[in-house]
Amino acid sequence: MIKLNKKVAVLSALIAGVLVGCGGFVYTTVGGTVKGLTTTGSYLVLVNEVGYTQALSVDGSFSFRVASNASYDITVGQQPNPVNCTVANGKGKMSGEAPVNNIAVTCVPNVPLAGSLTGLGASKSLTLSMNGATQTTLTADGVFSFQTYAVNGKEYAAKVFLPPVGQVCKIQNASGVANLSSPPSNIAVTCATGVPIGGSLAGLKSGTFLTISNTLADGTTDARNLLADGAYTMSFSLSDGENYDLQITTQPTGQKCTVTNGKGKASLENPAPASAIGITCVAA
């Protein structure tokens, strides 16, 4: 039994020596400090080169495990909302087993954004976006604040992400350069009656889909997938006098679909034609 235990110990030592000699099996740490997180609302996620993350909500230290001969790359995986964080000394290569602790993450205040909404219909809702990030849905007129802050000194842009059904919403003072000393609060959203764009689909084979789209006056594409026969309505209604041109952008597998009455001019006095765009699918 004693001889067997000695053999096991020797074998274990040899294996350990081989693993260490091959590299990648001796680990140390790489990290540093975070400064500037606010006491409320800050949630910073750091990520390393292989996708491991660490979340911090207060200032302090952090570290990741890393092989003693490996490269490292620490970046911000998710920015906090009230502040913007940058990483210094986040990239390098380990040269031994000594820990690296000189990575500095510095966070500076972001700029809150606010505005007002008027004209939203009863029981309707509106969703805005700020710099591409979807905001909380608004359900009533009044003053509101954007969930997403803007980086101080950087441009911001508000857009209508999902308008209320049957209404057109436009934004004044939608873009600018964020200034912490004068946070923008004059973003004005006004909604009015619009002309819905839609119609009916017939002949679509079960288990397939097609994609249709209409280009809006500002160049935005209003697109949606249709999965079954029946009535459909595009997400964005149009203002009086605005042109529409409904197109099929993706045909269903094994079928060819055509559009009838897909072009026209939206009219508040006569909205019916814009809601009578027919789509018919047949075998290809």
Side-chain angles (χ1 to χ4, degrees), residues 144-161:
F144 65 90
S145 296
F146 286 90
Q147 282 184 309
T148 301
Y149 288 33
V151 179
N152 187 38
K154 300 293 185 179
E155 293 184 353
Y156 64 88
K159 291 185 177 181
V160 175
F161 179 76

Side-chain angles (χ1 to χ4, degrees), residues 258-274:
T258 55
V259 178
T260 304
N261 302 321
K263 294 183 179 182
K265 182 174 289 187
S267 171
L268 287 172
E269 291 185 358
N270 184 25

Side-chain angles (χ1 to χ4, degrees), residues 76 79 84-88 104-108:
V76 175
Q79 288 281 5
N84 184 70
C85 303
T86 56
V87 180
V105 181
T106 304
C107 305
V108 296

Side-chain angles (χ1 to χ4, degrees), residues 75-258:
T75 58
V76 175
Q78 178 181 316
Q79 288 281 5
N81 196 22
V83 294
N84 184 70
C85 303
T86 56
V87 180
N89 307 319
K91 192 172 185 178
K93 182 176 175 61
M94 302 298 291
S95 58
E97 298 179 27
V100 169
N101 57 13
N102 69 334
I103 299 176
V105 181
T106 304
C107 305
V108 296
N110 277 335
V111 181
L113 304 166
S116 60
L117 170 64
T118 58
L120 184 66
S123 302
K124 294 184 181 292
S125 62
L126 165 69
T127 304
L128 303 174
S129 68
M130 174 57 69
N131 290 343
T134 305
Q135 305 298 296
T136 298
T137 298
L138 305 176
T139 58
D141 287 354
V143 175
F144 65 90
S145 296
F146 286 90
Q147 282 184 309
T148 301
Y149 288 33
V151 179
N152 187 38
K154 300 293 185 179
E155 293 184 353
Y156 64 88
K159 291 185 177 181
V160 175
F161 179 76
L162 187 62
V165 176
Q167 287 195 290
V168 175
C169 298
K170 299 184 182 297
I171 307 178
Q172 291 182 314
N173 308 317
S175 61
V177 176
N179 187 339
L180 189 61
S181 63
S182 181
S185 60
N186 64 339
I187 300 172
V189 185
T190 304
C191 298
T193 302
V195 180
I197 306 299
S200 60
L201 167 66
L204 182 65
K205 185 179 178 180
S206 177
T208 63
F209 74 95
L210 76 154
T211 304
I212 57 176
S213 66
N214 180 45
T215 302
L216 306 178
D218 63 357
T220 302
T221 298
D222 180 15
R224 63 167 301 178
N225 295 328
L226 302 183
L227 308 177
D229 287 354
Y232 69 89
T233 303
M234 302 303 289
S235 296
F236 285 78
S237 297
L238 303 185
S239 299
D240 187 45
E242 188 175 346
N243 292 323
Y244 58 88
D245 184 3
L246 194 71
Q247 301 281 340
I248 296 174
T249 53
T250 302
Q251 293 281 0
T253 303
Q255 289 191 291
K256 180 175 178 58
C257 303
T258 55

